[in-house]
Amino acid sequence: MRLVLVGPPGAGKGTQAVNLASHFAIPHISTGDIFRSNLKAGTPLGIEAKSYMDRGELVPDEVTNKMVKDRLSHDDVKPGFLLDGFPRNVAQADVLRAILAEKGTPIEAALELLVDKNEIINRLSGRRTCKNCQRAFHIQYERPSKDGVCDGCGGDLYQRDDDKEEVIARRLEVYGEQTAPIIDFYVRDGVLLSIPAIGAVDEVTKRAIDALSGFRSKN
Ligand code: ADP
Ligand code: AMP
């Protein structure tokens, strides 16, 4: 399964990606997670990315595309992969198509998660992220068993700098202006699949798996 998750920040891409990657036994590749891991490790890539992330802007394509190209050259993507947060504009979608065309392994589905704007703001403003494994929790909707501690790895939870109100507004603008056009890009490629992403996390996962299975058997 070669899958791209599409949807605004806070739609639940990372949350669903964990479940879907486990279901399909494929690696979950999140460009946001890779930037944050680099920042934590103090690499030049992480430091460069931070200046954009903190303002809610996209990291330049040159940097992001190179990073993704490198990641997609690893052996673990042979059975497939799930991209979360990439592509984020049409130029990145073009680059991804070219990388995959070279290998003869095009994207099979672009799964769009549909969530209304109020819910997105609630999700982002209450999100808490694990410092260690980057799993997302929510102070109301997806509470960890123990406050401030990740259920998965025991790491500390924190509020991302870009989940503060001022940056959220800019990230949603950037989504509308730069990222939303990739939906038409994938419609034209005949691979777009959209599902409502409201309801319990496991219900959304089931909806996604059912939709993807139906879609694959038709194609
Ligand atoms: P994205 O990766 O698209 O930015 P996340 O997966 O990090 O989004 O989810 C954003 C926030 O919404 C997190 O706090 C997460 O716990 C919460 N969340 C995710 N899915 C749901 C859901 N189905 N219902 C309620 N909250 C959710
Ligand atoms: P995310 O974790 O997906 O919410 O991404 C957090 C931030 O990382 C974004 O607001 C961007 O600044 C940066 N980022 C993540 N993915 C990309 C991408 N594909 N292109 C450019 N910037 C990105």
Side-chain angles (χ1 to χ4, degrees):
M1 170 62 86
R2 292 178 301 277
L3 180 62
V4 167
L5 282 188
V6 186
K13 297 182 300 298
T15 302
Q16 293 305 322
V18 171
N19 291 353
L20 294 173
S22 151
H23 178 84
F24 291 110
I26 49 176
H28 165 204
I29 302 174
S30 155
T31 41
D33 286 356
I34 301 175
F35 287 134
R36 282 184 293 276
S37 301
N38 272 276
L39 180 61
K40 196 176 163 205
T43 70
L45 173 68
I47 292 162
E48 181 178 3
K50 181 176 165 50
S51 60
Y52 297 93
M53 293 168 87
D54 281 353
R55 288 181 284 124
E57 302 294 338
L58 298 186
V59 176
D61 287 351
E62 204 184 74
V63 175
T64 308
N65 289 339
K66 185 170 172 291
M67 181 176 92
V68 171
K69 187 168 187 191
D70 173 69
R71 182 63 188 85
L72 291 176
S73 70
H74 295 189
D75 275 351
D76 67 340
V77 303
K78 286 208 171 113
F81 54 81
L82 190 168
L83 278 168
D84 157 17
F86 184 93
R88 250 179 162 97
N89 59 32
V90 171
Q92 292 182 3
D94 272 328
V95 166
L96 177 63
R97 182 154 62 189
I99 295 171
L100 297 177
E102 223 172 81
K103 302 175 193 241
T105 55
I107 287 296
E108 290 170 88
L111 180 69
E112 182 190 15
L113 301 182
L114 300 169
V115 181
D116 70 53
K117 194 169 169 189
N118 282 342
E119 176 71 6
I120 282 170
I121 292 171
N122 288 340
R123 287 187 183 184
L124 285 176
S125 52
R127 174 160 63 186
R128 297 293 180 270
T129 304
C130 176
K131 271 188 186 157
N132 185 41
C133 72
Q134 312 229 29
R135 182 167 155 190
F137 292 84
H138 192 280
I139 52 172
Q140 268 176 298
Y141 308 143
E142 291 296 318
R143 295 183 61 156
S145 316
K146 194 172 162 216
D147 276 351
V149 180
C150 176
D151 284 350
C153 74
D156 289 338
L157 303 185
Y158 77 112
Q159 183 174 31
R160 283 170 41 178
D161 285 340
D162 60 350
D163 280 345
K164 311 252 159 85
E165 215 177 302
E166 327 74 78
V167 191
I168 289 177
R170 179 59 192 146
R171 288 166 69 205
L172 294 179
E173 271 174 16
V174 167
Y175 180 79
E177 289 161 6
Q178 301 183 44
T179 310
I182 68 171
I183 291 168
D184 274 348
F185 178 100
Y186 286 120
V187 168
R188 282 196 294 273
D189 273 3
V191 295
L192 189 84
L193 195 56
S194 304
I195 58 161
I198 38 160
V201 168
D202 288 349
E203 279 169 29
V204 178
T205 305
K206 183 173 181 311
R207 212 175 284 147
I209 292 171
D210 288 349
L212 286 165
S213 310
F215 186 68
R216 277 181 119 188
S217 57
K218 265 198 292 168
N219 284 276

